[in-house]
Amino acid sequence: MCVLFASQCRPRWLSSASRCPRDWQRNGQVGWLQHDFGHLSVFRSSKLNHALHYLTIGLIKGASPSWWNHMHYQHHAKPNVMDKDPDVRLEALFVVGDHMPVKVAKEKKKSMPYNWQNYYFFIIGPPLLFPVYFQIMLFRYIYTRRAWMDFLMVTIFFIKFFYLFTPLLGLGGAIAYYFTFRCLESHWFTWVAQSNHIPMDIDEDQALPWLKLQLQATCNVEKSAFNDWFTGHLNFQIEHHLFPTMPRHNLYKIAPLVKSLCEKHGVPYQVKSLGTAFADIVRSLKHSGDLWASTYHAYHAEVPSS
């Protein structure tokens, strides 16, 4: 009987499990869309862009628009600059680049076994960024900055979510479903976002000119129909950082001009395949972890007593 009536016998949350792949894909694409509104790159009206940004990231995704602007604009102003780009403020869990591992090792910081970070990245990196770290950060921002409009948006999102899904899945199933699609979405975002930046140069602020600063911190991923869709056209990360208000579907049009300008001035312009860009994340984490370990042992090795 249970085989014949499997849909009635299995838990309610399993009967809606087929929704999860569709929902996390929609959430992923809404993530790229809110990024467009956040950069004021969709409409001529700044107010209309801001209003749609509140709708997409606030009501649809349940995050704080002000928090996103606060973090993301710092990233664009000083990409991969230690202590200035929040995206590389990672030393509590990871050391990245060539300079951060040495600095952390010399200060005798050992909050994590960084020489193993290329392994534990798969456990605490992509799976937990959205469902844990971002949730803590955005609520902390809302509370400390008293961003009550953002609090209202996030509250409406969660009321809507549990109103719709609790009758279908039960409270426990709705919570499990929420964290499942947030985890899947987190994987998507982390691999795409970090592939353009983490393997690149990460250093203290050297007061570099705009072009060189952006190019040493970013790289592109090859153009294809899938790559454009999967990355929200941010496979043209170089052009996006140079022209952050340009609509993303136009970024590929200026790529040849940017590349020729870089060649003219001897500035490296890197383009990778999607697989290479993902693999470089892990390779760079291993390199940085090994650099931390060698520096740590060189500076803090115990000297045997005579």
Side-chain angles (χ1 to χ4, degrees):
M1 287 292 289
C2 193
V3 173
L4 294 175
F5 301 98
S7 62
Q8 284 80 14
C9 296
R10 61 185 175 178
R12 284 182 295 171
W13 68 272
L14 282 177
S15 65
S16 296
S18 61
R19 292 180 56 89
C20 200
R22 297 196 301 271
D23 283 354
W24 75 266
Q25 289 181 48
R26 292 192 191 104
N27 266 278
Q29 290 301 325
V30 172
W32 306 137
L33 181 60
Q34 70 81 21
H35 181 267
D36 296 337
F37 292 129
H39 274 287
L40 312 180
S41 65
V42 180
F43 301 105
R44 292 182 183 274
S45 167
S46 176
K47 290 183 179 180
L48 189 55
N49 279 302
H50 281 301
L52 270 294
H53 191 226
Y54 263 86
L55 172 67
T56 49
I57 194 172
L59 290 179
I60 298 178
K61 294 186 66 65
S64 163
S66 300
W67 166 75
W68 186 90
N69 288 335
H70 174 71
M71 300 289 284
H72 198 66
Y73 290 176
Q74 291 180 74
H75 164 69
H76 269 268
K78 292 288 184 178
N80 283 14
V81 174
M82 293 161 56
D83 300 321
K84 294 189 176 180
D85 179 0
D87 288 5
V88 295
R89 236 173 260 154
L90 304 170
E91 59 268 22
L93 298 174
F94 301 97
V95 288
V96 289
D98 290 337
H99 302 278
M100 186 186 297
V102 174
K103 180 181 179 181
V104 171
K106 288 181 178 179
E107 294 173 354
K108 205 174 182 178
K109 291 182 179 179
K110 195 178 182 180
S111 60
M112 295 291 286
Y114 299 114
N115 49 314
W116 291 90
Q117 65 179 7
N118 54 304
Y119 298 108
Y120 67 71
F121 170 77
F122 293 94
I123 301 172
I124 67 173
L128 301 183
L129 183 66
F130 273 26
V132 177
Y133 179 72
F134 274 8
Q135 294 293 317
I136 294 171
M137 292 297 293
L138 73 89
F139 281 113
R140 180 178 179 273
Y141 178 91
I142 289 173
Y143 175 75
T144 57
R145 301 298 179 98
R146 290 170 169 74
W148 303 129
M149 179 59 73
D150 293 47
F151 179 72
L152 176 63
M153 296 294 106
V154 174
T155 300
I156 292 173
F157 166 82
F158 280 106
I159 291 173
K160 174 199 68 175
F161 179 86
F162 285 107
Y163 175 78
L164 292 174
F165 286 99
T166 301
L168 295 172
L169 310 176
L171 180 59
I175 293 172
Y177 178 65
Y178 174 81
F179 281 101
T180 298
F181 81 74
R182 275 286 187 250
C183 181
L184 291 170
E185 182 187 10
S186 183
H187 274 86
W188 188 347
F189 170 83
T190 304
W191 285 101
V192 170
Q194 300 310 317
S195 66
N196 298 119
H197 295 296
I198 289 298
M200 306 302 291
D201 290 343
I202 300 170
D203 199 353
E204 305 280 358
D205 193 354
Q206 303 296 322
L208 296 174
W210 178 255
L211 181 70
K212 190 171 183 180
L213 170 66
Q214 302 298 327
L215 266 292
Q216 77 169 19
T218 57
C219 68
N220 280 0
V221 171
E222 294 171 347
K223 178 175 175 55
S224 72
F226 174 79
N227 289 354
D228 291 353
W229 172 84
F230 187 72
T231 66
H233 291 89
L234 295 180
N235 46 335
F236 292 94
Q237 189 73 203
I238 292 172
E239 288 71 26
H240 171 62
H241 266 256
L242 292 176
F243 305 97
T245 60
M246 178 175 287
R248 56 170 150 146
H249 58 272
N250 288 331
L251 294 173
Y252 80 95
K253 297 178 182 178
I254 64 166
L257 299 175
V258 173
K259 185 177 180 180
S260 65
L261 181 67
C262 292
E263 291 174 350
K264 177 180 178 180
H265 295 281
V267 179
Y269 181 99
Q270 293 192 42
V271 182
K272 305 176 182 179
S273 69
L274 187 64
T276 299
F278 286 176
D280 281 350
I281 298 173
V282 182
R283 280 193 283 261
S284 67
L285 287 172
K286 184 179 188 321
H287 168 75
S288 299
D290 291 343
L291 182 58
W292 170 85
S294 61
T295 306
Y296 186 90
H297 293 303
Y299 274 78
H300 307 294
E302 292 184 5
V303 179
S305 57
S306 56

